[in-house]
Amino acid sequence: MLPAFMSGAGPTSDERRVMNGSLAVAVLLLVAKVTAAILTGSAAIYSDAAESVTHVLAVAFAAWALRFSHKPSDETHHFGHDKVAYFSAALEGAMISAAAVLIVYQAFTQYLSGSPVEAIETGLWLTAGAAVVNTVLGVSLVRVGKKRHSSLLEANGEHVLADVWTSVGVLAALFLVKWTGHGWWDPLFAALAAAKLLWTGVRLMKKSFAGLMDEADPDVEARLRELLRSECTSRGLSYHNLRHRHSGRTHWVELHLVFPDLESVRQAHEIATEIEARIAAMLEPDGRVITHLEPRSAEHHEEDWEVR
C-alpha cells in the first residue's frame, strides 16, 4: 500500500549535470549567435539567434521545473509535483513556435530589402561551433531523459537538437551565398529553418497536452496486460478496471484483482502485493501501483472503458 504522502528525492546527479550544462551552453551560444548575426547581417543567423533567445528562457524555466518536479507530496498535492514537466515542455514548444513566426517575418523583410550578407567566414565558424556543441548536449539530454523517464529533459533535448538543424540550415545558406553570390539563399534557408522549428514546437505542445490529459501509452498498456495475464493465469485469478497514466516521471497503475470467494484476506493481500511489486519493477524507476481486491461473486464488468 502507498503512504498517504510520498517522500521525494531530488534530481539525480546526471539530471542535474545535463540541465546545468544545458543552461550554461544556452547562454554562451546565445552570445555567440547574436555576435554572428550583428557581424554578418544574415537573416539565417538571425533566425538561429532568435531561436536561442527562446531557448535560454525555456531552459531557465526547465531548470526550475526539474527541481520542483521532485518536490515531495504534501497536504495539497497528494500525487506529487512532477506534472510540472508537461508545463515546461509545453512552454518550450510554444516559445519555439513563436520564434519560428518571428524568423519568417525577418526572412521576408530581408528578402524584400535585399540586404547583403557580410563577414561570411566569421558566421560560418561561429555557427559550426554552435552546431557541434548543441549536438553533444542535445544527445546527452535525450539519453538521460529516456533513462530517467523525464519528459522535461527529453523536451529540452529535442529543443537543443532543433537548434542544431537551424544551425545546419544557416551553414548551408552561408555556403551558397558565398559560392553563388546570390543573397536570396539566406532568407530562403531562414524560412526553411522556421518551418522545422514550427514542426518541433507543435509536436512538443501536442505531446505535453497528451500528458496533461493522462493519455495512456499503448505500448505500456500492452506490456501491463501481458504481465497481468501471465500473473493471473498462473494464480487462478482475473482482473479488470485497469487504468494507468504517466505524470512526468511517475507511472501510476490502478486495477481490480478478482480472487476466489474462499481466499482469505491475508492470502489475497500477499498475492496482490507480489503482483504490485512486479508491475512496479516493470515500470522502473518510479512505478506506483494500487490494487482493489474483489471476491469472484462480486465481480463487475459494467465500466464502459473496459470494453475495448
Side-chain angles (χ1 to χ4, degrees):
M1 296 296 175
L2 291 173
F5 300 112
M6 298 171 292
S7 60
T12 61
S13 59
D14 54 351
E15 287 178 310
R16 289 195 302 270
R17 184 182 67 253
V18 294
M19 183 54 73
N20 291 337
S22 179
L23 184 56
V25 168
V27 173
L28 290 174
L29 292 187
L30 172 61
V31 173
K33 291 176 183 180
V34 169
T35 301
I38 293 173
L39 291 175
T40 63
S42 164
I45 294 182
Y46 175 86
S47 72
D48 210 6
E51 197 279 331
S52 288
V53 172
T54 67
H55 185 55
V56 169
L57 296 174
V59 173
F61 182 83
W64 168 82
L66 179 65
R67 294 192 299 272
F68 187 79
S69 67
H70 286 79
K71 185 179 178 182
S73 305
D74 53 35
E75 290 79 3
T76 55
H77 299 87
H78 295 184
F79 293 91
H81 301 77
D82 52 331
K83 263 200 172 183
V84 72
Y86 292 125
F87 286 103
S88 177
L91 177 65
E92 291 214 39
M95 297 187 78
I96 292 173
S97 301
V101 174
L102 179 63
I103 290 166
V104 169
Y105 172 77
Q106 174 66 17
F108 183 69
T109 301
Q110 179 161 333
Y111 176 76
L112 293 179
S113 66
S115 301
V117 179
E118 301 173 346
I120 293 179
E121 290 79 6
T122 301
L124 285 170
W125 280 110
L126 288 173
T127 303
V132 171
V133 172
N134 272 335
T135 299
V136 174
L137 176 62
V139 170
S140 297
L141 284 163
V142 172
R143 180 181 60 80
V144 175
K146 289 183 180 297
K147 177 183 177 182
R148 301 297 179 184
H149 298 271
S150 171
S151 58
L152 189 153
L153 289 178
E154 283 193 62
N156 190 225
E158 289 188 25
H159 192 166
V160 171
L161 292 175
D163 196 16
V164 173
W165 283 107
T166 307
S167 297
V168 170
V170 170
L171 291 172
L174 294 180
F175 271 121
L176 287 169
V177 170
K178 184 176 177 61
W179 183 44
T180 66
H182 296 303
W184 52 265
W185 286 108
D186 186 47
L188 173 62
F189 272 85
L192 291 175
K196 168 63 177 174
L197 289 175
L198 185 61
W199 180 81
T200 300
V202 171
R203 187 163 60 87
L204 281 176
M205 289 189 288
K206 182 180 178 182
K207 189 174 181 180
S208 300
F209 183 75
L212 289 170
M213 295 302 296
D214 294 329
E215 182 176 305
D217 185 328
D219 293 332
V220 172
E221 174 146 347
R223 290 166 56 205
L224 281 171
R225 291 192 178 276
E226 179 61 30
L227 186 150
L228 286 169
R229 184 161 39 249
S230 173
E231 291 292 326
C232 289
T233 299
S234 65
R235 301 171 188 271
L237 311 177
S238 61
Y239 76 93
H240 58 262
N241 290 18
L242 172 65
R243 295 188 291 181
H244 60 98
R245 63 186 178 89
H246 201 273
S247 63
R249 62 186 178 87
T250 306
H251 209 114
W252 299 86
V253 180
E254 300 177 16
L255 70 148
H256 292 195
L257 288 173
V258 183
F259 291 83
D261 285 9
L262 298 180
E263 192 87 62
S264 72
V265 174
R266 177 182 293 276
Q267 289 174 319
H269 173 73
E270 289 176 353
I271 293 171
T273 300
E274 291 176 6
I275 294 175
E276 289 173 3
R278 295 192 179 177
I279 294 174
M282 188 189 79
L283 299 174
E284 286 183 337
D286 201 354
R288 308 279 176 152
V289 188
I290 300 174
T291 56
H292 170 74
L293 313 186
E294 291 182 3
R296 186 157 290 135
S297 59
E299 183 177 6
H300 297 291
H301 292 285
E302 72 275 16
E303 289 81 0
D304 293 336
W305 42 265
E306 265 295 290
V307 184
R308 52 182 171 172

